[in-house]
Amino acid sequence: MIRVLLVHDACLVRSVLAEWLRTVPDLRVDDTAWHAAPGRARAVCPDVCAADLECDAGDGVPPLGELCPRGTEPGTPRLLVLAAAHRPGLLRRAWEAGATGYVDKAGSPQRLVDGIRRVAAGERFVDNSLGFGFLKAAEMPLTRRELSVLTLAAEGASIAEIAGSLHLSHGTVRNYMAAITRKTGARNRIDAIRISQGEGWL
């Protein structure tokens, strides 16, 4: 029996998908929204966390590291993500968090089942349709921290608010914004946000 924690912020989608997964004989499924996911994972000790990369809370960045801390200690759940090729920034975050399964959200539910089984067995699983997204992710010039800064800026946060959220000094945030502007070839912060959104990095 494979213990699965399904993480998705869209309640209707999560409920329907969880009920469908529960019809699969070798899966035992719990489900939760992102805001409760780390605590739920500690409570149910899943073999696999199947998590949607879209997150409604905070800056829109899913707390993948809290859900499935990297490591090989016994009891550490393996991470499989539900992803889209047009969001290479999220694919990169998942890869950096140690995800071993990548299922295209536009695919069939059976692909999710196949992915869960492969990941639970210690294998990697990547939908071929996500290949273009991974190529775009590899070309992305921004670091994880720069993406976090820019994501908050895109939400309208000020320098002071970004500094407070990420526990950085104001000067460090300004340095990050200068680096982001340079790396994206933008004229200013607004232009950097526009370019990054157009490329799917945010």
Side-chain angles (χ1 to χ4, degrees):
M1 185 68 71
I2 301 170
R3 295 166 299 176
V4 179
L5 178 63
L6 176 66
V7 183
H8 202 300
D9 272 346
C11 182
L12 178 60
V13 174
R14 183 179 73 246
S15 298
V16 171
L17 188 53
E19 285 303 313
W20 187 86
L21 288 172
R22 290 184 182 113
T23 67
V24 181
D26 60 334
L27 302 184
R28 189 174 76 195
V29 181
D30 286 277
D31 65 276
T32 184
W34 264 113
H35 69 87
R40 190 68 179 149
R42 290 189 293 271
V44 304
C45 300
D47 300 304
V48 177
C49 289
D52 181 43
L53 283 180
E54 303 286 340
C55 177
D56 291 342
D59 59 3
V61 178
L64 297 170
E66 296 177 37
L67 180 64
C68 295
R70 295 196 71 157
T72 57
E73 296 82 4
T76 300
R78 294 183 171 93
L79 177 60
L80 175 147
V81 296
L82 308 176
H86 71 279
R87 297 296 303 277
L90 291 177
L91 282 172
R92 178 164 165 175
R93 288 178 190 271
W95 176 77
E96 290 174 343
T100 55
Y102 301 83
V103 175
D104 191 341
K105 293 200 290 187
S108 71
Q110 186 58 46
R111 294 293 289 169
L112 176 57
V113 174
D114 294 343
I116 288 170
R117 288 173 174 154
R118 293 269 295 275
V119 168
E123 303 174 18
R124 288 191 175 274
F125 182 90
V126 181
D127 263 334
N128 291 337
S129 53
L130 295 176
F132 178 73
F134 275 105
L135 287 174
K136 295 284 286 182
E139 296 171 354
M140 190 167 56
L142 303 181
T143 66
R144 185 192 314 182
R145 180 61 86 182
E146 287 165 350
L147 281 172
S148 296
V149 168
L150 192 59
T151 298
L152 288 169
E155 294 288 328
S158 66
I159 294 293
E161 289 168 336
I162 295 171
S165 294
L166 300 180
H167 309 291
L168 301 171
S169 70
H170 293 194
T172 299
V173 173
R174 290 191 184 91
N175 288 341
Y176 276 127
M177 287 306 309
I180 290 165
T181 302
R182 184 185 74 254
K183 288 182 177 181
T184 57
R187 297 185 300 275
N188 51 44
R189 178 167 70 169
I190 301 301
D191 197 33
I193 292 169
R194 178 189 62 77
I195 290 169
S196 298
Q197 288 176 334
E199 293 289 342
W201 300 338
L202 295 181

